[in-house]
């Protein structure tokens, strides 16, 4: 048994079989090859290895999961058998004197683009299958492990072990089998953690030396309360884990009873608890009965995994559907927040030295009015079905907000012209996630209908520490007083102007900080769906009048640790009741 330590990202207990993601370069290295026979031989060997691997995965999936899930590996073997396709790659390798993995990559790109362009979703999927198979062969040829999502989809209880996960990878994984995520890299608000919270599964990040210790297939225990990962645990450790996780399940069942009820403090302050969504799975599983609506609909996923921008109807289908299913409850749709760590090939964004400080989110939308216009029309059309609000990310100046609001007016005008229905009085708000917006919050409050604090970004920009970098997590801390003071400033501006203000970053579901949000007068908290019941339950144990003085004292403390200790004591008192 081996124990490793990391940072707790998404709390919980889990156990399962390790599936390791070994990084292969996105584009295989290109080099000159003169011995074509040797290259052909290398390819034959790699094909044989993949063939054996697919057969093994097919057998395992049939045994552990079911025949339907096993079928895909049969299809992969058929693609692998496609001599015509691989012959083209071999000919390209010979005629261009390039290594075979590069030739396969080039051939695959052409074929995948052709499938992607098809209207039939079934055929589109086949394009993705071809890419998966080629990725596997290329991975094998270049000494990497191939596409780990293929393997992950063949095991029933998976613990994903990786250096880091990209948004595109998380989209590809079959989440129903994943029990936990453990990564070497990443911060507490990286995509891995956001995904884990959305799925309600534990995640530990920043585990040094992880990939050196796990080779795959080991039994792993994840204790994401304490931040420990146990590899090949002994029987006593495993028994202890089972007991702890049973207790946790019981508590979660209790919390889930609160999800559908209104949340109110002991002294009668009501707080809406909404959920964050941002991928097809969480949209599908959204249940309006178990929350007060959607506080953040990240729309980037609508733009991902496709060859070109989604058109208005494709977007309207998603937004309209969710608005209808929310049955009149609030649905805050955030306009496209692409750039930074979220990139899309077809958007053709030039490479930047500092993408997080660069051309992203509202900046990009204002610069590409046709893209923005299409999205705004789709959001407005969805507003005809219920409580849709629109929200702009990364606002830095009041001018940006004004410009964006003008775009909303133009979109309304064009819908009127087309005779299409929408809510004329749709609320237009902003994410407060830049220090600039916090500092200008008194003025912005006069022009926005609501504020939603994007603490994930706000923390990184206030503390100048990358939210994805495990090395600076000691600074990237929500208990950093600079962050708490910034939030207090935003709260005061919103309260003075009488507009609703909420938090949609990960700190919204931080138990330790919950009394702070309550004392500052938060009107809504938007959290991962798995957290809504718990947060509502905990709000019900807070007496706002009683905690306010203790919270006030926090703002004058002199270290992060002092803040944490005080919050810890406060939490202790609250749990005593
Ligand atoms: C945030 O920054 O807090 C936020 C909710 O947005 P995202 O995590 O998508 O940047
Ligand atoms: Mg953000």
């Amino acid at each position: 048994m081996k124990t490793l330590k990391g940072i707790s990202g998404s709390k919980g207990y889990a156990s399962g079989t390790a599936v390791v993601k070994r990084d292969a370069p996105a584009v295989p290295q290109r080099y000159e090859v003169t011995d074509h026979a040797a290259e052909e031989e290398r390819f034959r060997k790699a094909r044989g290895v993949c063939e054996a691997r697919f057969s093994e995965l097919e057998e395992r999936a049939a045994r552990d999961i079911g025949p339907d899930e096993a079928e895909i590996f049969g299809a992969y073997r058929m693609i692998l058998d496609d001599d015509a396709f691989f012959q083209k790659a071999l000919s390209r390798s010979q005629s261009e004197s390039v290594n075979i993995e590069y030739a396969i990559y080039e051939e695959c790109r052409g074929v995948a683009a052709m499938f992607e362009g098809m209207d039939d979703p079934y055929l589109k999927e086949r394009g993705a299958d071809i890419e998966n198979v080629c990725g596997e062969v290329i991975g094998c040829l270049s000494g990497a492990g191939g596409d780990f999502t293929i393997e992950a989809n063949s095991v029933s209880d998976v613990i994903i072990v990786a250096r880091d996960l990209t948004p595109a990878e998380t989209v590809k994984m079959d989440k129903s089998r994943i029990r936990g995520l453990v990564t070497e890299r990443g911060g507490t608000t990286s995509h891995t953690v956001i995904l884990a919270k959305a799925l309600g599964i534990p995640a530990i990040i920043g585990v040094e030396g992880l990939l050196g210790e796990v080779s795959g297939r080991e039994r792993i225990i994840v204790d994401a309360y304490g931040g420990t990962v146990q590899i090949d645990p002994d029987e006593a450790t495993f028994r202890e884990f089972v007991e702890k996780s049973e207790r946790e399940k019981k508590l979660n069942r209790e919390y889930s009873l609160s999800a559908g009820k209104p949340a109110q403090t002991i002294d009668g302050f009501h707080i809406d608890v909404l959920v964050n969504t941002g991928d097809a799975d969480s949209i599908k599983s959204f249940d309006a009965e178990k929350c007060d609506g959607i506080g953040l609909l990240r729309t980037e996923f609508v733009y991902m995994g496709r060859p070109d921008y989604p058109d208005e109807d494709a977007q309207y289908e998603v937004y309209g559907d969710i608005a209808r299913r929310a049955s009149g409850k609030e649905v805050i749709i955030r306009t496209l927040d692409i750039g930074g760590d979220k990139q899309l090939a077809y958007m053709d964004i030039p490479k930047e030295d500092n993408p997080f400080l660069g051309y992203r989110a509202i900046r990009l939308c204002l610069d590409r009015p046709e893209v923005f216009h299409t999205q705004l029309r789709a959001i407005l059309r969805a507003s005809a079905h219920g409580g849709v609000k629109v929200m702009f990310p990364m606002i830095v100046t009041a001018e940006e907000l004004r410009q964006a609001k003008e775009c909303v007016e133009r979109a309304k005008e064009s819908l009127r012209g087309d005779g299409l229905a929408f809510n004329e009085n749709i609320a237009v708000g902003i994410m407060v996630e830049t220090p600039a917006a916090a500092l200008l919050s008194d003025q912005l409050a006069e022009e926005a209908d609501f504020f939603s604090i994007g603490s994930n970004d706000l923390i990184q920009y206030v503390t100048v520490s990358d939210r994805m970098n495990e090395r600076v997590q000691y600074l990237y801390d929500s208990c950093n007083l600079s962050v708490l003071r910034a939030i207090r400033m935003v709260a005061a501006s919103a309260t003075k102007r009488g507009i609703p203000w909420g938090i949609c970053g990960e700190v919204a579901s931080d138990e330790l900080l919950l009394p702070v949000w309550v004392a500052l007068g938060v009107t809504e908290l938007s959290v991962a769906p798995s957290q809504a019941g718990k947060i509502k339950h905990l709000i019900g144990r807070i007496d706002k009048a009683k905690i306010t003085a203790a919270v006030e004292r926090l703002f004058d403390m002199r270290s992060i640790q002092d803040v944490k200790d005080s919050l810890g004591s406060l939490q202790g008192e609250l749990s005593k009741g």
Side-chain angles (χ1 to χ4, degrees):
M1 178 170 102
K2 178 110 197 165
T3 302
L4 299 176
K5 282 291 277 179
I7 304 166
S8 168
S10 166
K11 294 194 170 67
Y13 298 109
S15 76
T17 306
V19 170
V20 181
K21 175 196 151 193
R22 303 234 169 250
D23 292 325
V27 180
Q29 209 188 354
R30 179 192 171 118
Y31 54 87
E32 195 184 335
V33 162
T34 45
D35 186 348
H36 185 64
E39 207 56 8
E40 202 165 333
E41 184 52 27
R42 230 162 53 78
F43 164 68
R44 302 221 176 285
K45 274 198 187 138
R47 190 192 221 179
V49 170
C50 291
E51 166 78 40
R53 190 170 153 83
F54 291 152
S55 298
E56 189 208 327
L57 292 174
E58 186 175 6
E59 232 173 75
R60 200 187 313 136
R63 188 187 61 224
D64 298 346
I65 309 171
D68 290 349
E69 285 79 0
E71 230 172 65
I72 185 70
F73 299 106
Y76 283 0
R77 283 197 288 116
M78 274 168 62
I79 295 172
L80 199 60
D81 271 348
D82 185 344
D83 281 329
F85 172 78
F86 286 107
Q87 194 47 54
K88 272 197 202 148
L90 284 165
S91 306
R92 182 190 276 256
S93 164
Q94 185 164 28
S95 63
E96 295 179 17
S97 301
V98 289
N99 52 318
I100 181 65
E101 53 268 55
Y102 190 81
I104 293 174
Y105 165 75
E106 283 288 320
E107 283 301 327
C108 176
R109 266 197 340 160
V111 175
M114 197 178 78
F115 275 96
E116 259 300 329
M118 294 177 175
D119 286 335
D120 183 338
Y122 176 80
L123 291 176
K124 260 192 207 288
E125 277 287 310
R126 301 297 66 80
D129 292 344
I130 293 171
E131 279 186 296
N132 285 344
V133 172
C134 289
E136 196 69 11
V137 179
I138 292 168
C140 198
L141 281 160
S142 52
D147 184 345
F148 77 104
T149 60
I150 293 177
E151 184 170 2
N153 294 350
S154 77
V155 178
S156 51
D157 292 318
V158 183
I159 304 286
I160 299 283
V161 171
R163 189 171 138 70
D164 204 358
L165 292 168
T166 64
E169 283 161 350
T170 58
V171 168
K172 252 165 81 181
M173 293 188 296
D174 176 354
K175 282 95 172 174
S176 65
R177 307 182 204 296
I178 301 174
R179 301 288 166 263
L181 303 172
V182 188
T183 61
E184 277 190 356
R185 288 213 51 208
T188 44
T189 59
S190 57
H191 287 289
T192 307
V193 173
I194 292 174
L195 172 81
K197 285 192 177 169
L199 296 172
I201 58 173
I204 301 181
I205 49 169
V207 184
E208 235 175 88
L210 176 69
L211 292 182
E213 295 294 342
V214 185
S215 52
R217 306 262 127 214
E218 294 93 338
R219 182 193 254 186
I220 298 234
I221 288 181
V222 176
D223 171 357
Y225 287 99
T228 52
V229 183
Q230 278 156 325
I231 305 155
D232 286 330
D234 53 42
E235 276 316 305
T237 310
F238 194 72
R239 266 201 307 278
E240 199 186 314
F241 156 78
V242 171
E243 276 167 29
K244 280 200 246 175
S245 90
E246 285 306 319
R247 273 201 299 276
E248 188 205 29
K249 276 190 201 136
K250 198 166 154 244
L251 210 55
N252 283 342
R253 276 196 294 273
E254 218 179 288
Y255 291 149
S256 70
L257 299 175
S258 302
K261 299 180 190 155
Q264 195 162 309
T265 62
I266 294 171
D267 46 349
F269 288 92
H270 178 84
I271 296 169
D272 277 332
V273 180
L274 305 98
V275 296
N276 293 348
T277 57
D279 61 86
D281 291 329
S282 64
I283 297 267
K284 221 186 290 164
S285 60
F286 167 68
D287 183 350
E289 299 286 309
K290 293 193 177 140
C291 60
D292 299 321
I294 295 181
L296 169 63
L297 174 58
R298 292 182 169 96
T299 55
E300 294 74 63
F301 82 97
V302 184
Y303 292 74
M304 286 176 173
R306 44 185 312 132
D308 206 346
Y309 291 103
D311 64 19
E312 181 183 315
D313 284 342
Q315 295 193 54
Y316 168 63
E317 210 174 291
V318 179
Y319 311 150
D321 169 61
I322 200 90
R324 267 186 292 257
R325 284 166 49 214
S327 320
K329 289 186 175 174
E330 186 176 46
V331 176
I332 300 182
I333 304 183
R334 179 178 74 182
T335 58
L336 186 59
D337 184 14
I338 216 74
D341 61 325
K342 302 168 218 151
Q343 299 283 350
L344 292 172
Y346 63 81
M347 280 196 182
D348 217 8
I349 302 175
K351 201 169 157 21
E352 299 174 294
D353 286 340
N354 292 301
F356 278 97
L357 303 181
Y359 183 63
R360 58 173 294 200
I362 195 69
R363 303 167 185 192
L364 182 141
C365 286
L366 293 175
D367 187 49
R368 300 186 180 190
E370 62 306 332
V371 174
F372 200 30
H373 187 69
T374 305
Q375 183 174 38
L376 289 172
R377 275 182 55 111
I379 295 173
L380 282 164
R381 283 172 62 192
S383 73
H385 306 295
V388 170
K389 298 180 175 184
V390 63
M391 174 162 78
F392 306 125
M394 287 292 292
I395 290 288
V396 164
T397 64
E399 292 91 312
E400 275 175 331
L401 171 57
R402 268 172 235 144
Q403 240 181 300
K405 283 170 74 171
E406 275 164 26
C407 294
V408 173
E409 289 311 312
R410 264 198 298 280
K412 283 183 181 175
E413 195 51 53
S414 73
L415 288 174
R416 276 185 214 110
D418 294 344
L420 291 167
F422 62 93
N423 173 11
E424 285 280 357
N425 301 315
I426 186 169
V428 179
I430 61 166
M431 303 237 353
V432 180
E433 54 182 343
T434 64
L439 290 165
L440 294 175
S441 57
D442 57 335
Q443 295 184 359
L444 290 167
E446 292 171 10
E447 302 190 43
D449 294 325
F450 63 91
F451 283 165
S452 183
I453 297 179
S455 52
N456 302 344
D457 276 314
L458 186 64
I459 301 173
Q460 88 167 339
Y461 292 125
V462 166
T463 64
V464 201
S465 1
D466 184 347
R467 66 193 258 192
M468 323 269 265
N469 185 339
E470 67 286 357
R471 288 201 166 143
V472 293
Q473 290 298 297
Y474 70 100
L475 292 169
Y476 184 99
D477 196 314
S478 48
C479 289
N480 202 319
L481 259 192
S482 52
V483 173
L484 293 180
R485 285 187 179 189
I487 293 178
R488 181 172 63 169
M489 184 184 272
V490 178
S493 301
T495 309
K496 188 164 169 220
R497 185 73 195 176
I499 60 168
W501 73 277
I503 306 178
C504 63
E506 295 306 308
V507 302
S509 58
D510 187 324
E511 287 169 51
L512 213 54
L513 284 160
L514 188 60
V516 181
W517 314 145
V518 173
L520 292 177
V522 76
T523 53
E524 28 190 88
L525 291 168
S526 191
V527 303
S530 62
Q531 303 293 309
K534 182 176 183 177
I535 293 303
K536 285 191 168 195
H537 176 89
L538 295 175
I539 288 171
R541 293 164 70 157
I542 297 177
D543 189 327
K544 188 177 170 196
K546 277 195 191 155
I547 56 158
T548 302
V551 169
E552 272 304 313
R553 282 196 291 278
L554 293 175
F555 292 95
D556 292 319
M557 296 205 163
R558 298 296 169 113
S559 74
I560 295 176
Q561 197 52 51
D562 284 351
V563 173
K564 287 191 172 159
D565 290 345
S566 298
L567 287 171
S569 315
L570 192 55
Q571 193 184 35
E573 282 165 35
L574 290 173
S575 62
K576 273 189 246 145

